[in-house]
Amino acid sequence: MVTPAPEPPAFPGGTGVSGLSVYDWPAADGLCGGSPHVHLVCTEAYVVVAGAGRLQTLTAAGTAETPLRPGTVVWFGPGTVHRAVNDGGLRAVVVMQNSGLPEAGDAVFTFPSGVLADPEAYAAAARAGDAREARRRRDLAVAGFRALAGRTGDGVAAGADGGGTDGGGGHGAAALEEFHRQALALRAGRLTEWEEVWRAGARQAADRTAAQLAALRAGDTGHLRTAAVAVREPPGTPRWGMCGRLDTYDLTPGGATGG
């Protein structure tokens, strides 16, 4: 029997992975950190590797602030408005569900409502090719985040002391739902593209596992004979990400290995 040539394995679960150094620029509320934003279909996880900080979140259930320290693993589902706060040297490995979808636009900044309502204004505000633009973008997202938090009755994210709230009751829920509607309106035209990315990534990974389980039940171990190892080195110059300088790895077969 001829053994098939091994192919590099797909990265686990159709996920994506990046190295994140959270911005240390102070914002208007005195906190250092990244740009608050939301994902529409992807769950995101932080594996903290250095430094200290906090993750501020806003959902329909209210607000929370999760301490971040080396060894902490925290994850949050789509619809969670989140902001990484850097209290000193905060670095994390970011694991994203549905690799390729964040790059295809599955993220919306918490810009003020007027910007969210204007696709051209949003696109201009979201651009960041250098540190100045990334900081301007972050500051605008923080301003919108604090305004949204104020409309939901939130104290922490709006800059007051205290713990989480109940989201401000019906008024707060309506404010958050309006933000979600504006986020969808900005991305509605890309849903077909997102589905194609999902089918080629996370869906394909699940289908591959299903086929392997079926083969094993039938006593077929053929896929084990094609085992191989894949590696990626740091991708080079970090880009200006939403939360900080971001090393995004190309995990596609034959993807970049360094540079």
Side-chain angles (χ1 to χ4, degrees), residues 37 39 42-46 55 57 74-78 80-82:
H37 61 281
H39 297 284
C42 293
T43 292
E44 181 174 5
Y46 289 172
L55 180 71
T57 54
V74 58
W75 61 97
F76 37 93
T80 305
V81 180
H82 54 284

Side-chain angles (χ1 to χ4, degrees), residues 75-171:
W75 61 97
F76 37 93
T80 305
V81 180
H82 54 284
R83 177 194 189 189
V85 176
N86 186 355
D87 292 326
L90 183 60
R91 292 192 296 114
V93 173
V94 179
V95 181
M96 289 294 309
Q97 184 186 19
N98 301 317
S99 178
L101 284 190
E103 293 79 5
D106 177 37
V108 174
F109 292 101
T110 55
F111 292 151
S113 182
V115 178
L116 293 172
D118 183 339
E120 291 186 2
Y122 179 89
R127 283 194 290 268
D130 56 30
R132 180 185 61 81
E133 291 182 343
R135 188 164 183 169
R136 169 200 49 77
R137 180 178 69 180
R138 191 283 311 271
D139 290 345
L140 188 62
V142 168
F145 179 57
R146 295 181 70 193
L148 177 62
R151 293 197 301 275
T152 61
D154 175 278
V156 175
D161 294 330
T165 76
D166 64 0
H171 175 72

Side-chain angles (χ1 to χ4, degrees), residues 5-104:
E7 296 182 358
F11 196 76
T15 57
V17 64
S18 302
L20 171 66
S21 297
V22 178
Y23 294 132
D24 59 3
W25 308 319
D29 59 0
L31 300 179
C32 299
S35 308
H37 61 281
V38 71
H39 297 284
L40 301 186
V41 296
C42 293
T43 292
E44 181 174 5
Y46 289 172
V47 182
V48 182
V49 297
R54 290 162 278 162
L55 180 71
Q56 291 186 342
T57 54
L58 173 62
T59 68
T63 62
E65 190 168 86
T66 303
L68 301 177
R69 60 182 183 275
T72 298
V73 179
V74 58
W75 61 97
F76 37 93
T80 305
V81 180
H82 54 284
R83 177 194 189 189
V85 176
N86 186 355
D87 292 326
L90 183 60
R91 292 192 296 114
V93 173
V94 179
V95 181
M96 289 294 309
Q97 184 186 19
N98 301 317
S99 178
L101 284 190
E103 293 79 5

